[in-house]
C-alpha cells in the first residue's frame, strides 16, 4: 500500500491508565496495590499525569483498521491471568 517506515498500529479508542487498572481489577476480582510513594525501585515510565495515545493516522490512511480496545482487552487479561 505504499507504506515505508514505521507505522503505529493501535486501537483508535483511548483507554486511560486508571481505566486499564479498573478493567484488570474487574477481570481478576481483586484490587490493585499501589506503592505509597515513588522511588527508583518502583518508578514506571507509564506513571504520567496525562493520558497518552498513538497517532494512527498513517494506519488508517493505508486502509488498516484495528478492533476497539473493548473488543480485545478483556480476552487478553483473561488469557494472562495467573
Amino acid at each position: 500500500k505504499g507504506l515505508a517506515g514505521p507505522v503505529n498500529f493501535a486501537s483508535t479508542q483511548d483507554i486511560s491508565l486508571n481505566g486499564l487498572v479498573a478493567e484488570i481489577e474487574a477481570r481478576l476480582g481483586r484490587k490493585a496495590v499501589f506503592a505509597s510513594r515513588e522511588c527508583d525501585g518502583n518508578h514506571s515510565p507509564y506513571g504520567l499525569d496525562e493520558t497518552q495515545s498513538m497517532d494512527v493516522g498513517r494506519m488508517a490512511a493505508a486502509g488498516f483498521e484495528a478492533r476497539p480496545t473493548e473488543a480485545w482487552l478483556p480476552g487478553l487479561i483473561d488469557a494472562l491471568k495467573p
Side-chain angles (χ1 to χ4, degrees):
K1 300 202 178 215
L3 287 176
V7 176
N8 292 329
F9 191 87
S11 295
T12 55
Q13 174 190 14
D14 289 338
I15 184 169
S16 68
L17 186 55
N18 286 338
L20 176 60
V21 170
E23 183 68 27
I24 293 169
E25 288 176 335
R27 305 297 300 180
L28 296 181
R30 59 183 191 240
K31 298 297 278 179
V33 177
F34 296 96
S36 58
R37 62 183 173 83
E38 183 182 312
C39 66
D40 288 341
N42 68 14
H43 176 71
S44 168
Y46 303 106
L48 305 171
D49 292 334
E50 68 278 348
T51 296
Q52 300 285 312
S53 59
M54 294 179 130
D55 179 354
V56 293
R58 292 187 69 208
M59 174 191 85
F64 293 100
E65 184 178 339
R67 293 185 301 153
T69 305
E70 63 201 22
W72 57 265
L73 183 59
L76 176 63
I77 295 168
D78 289 344
L80 296 174
K81 280 183 184 176

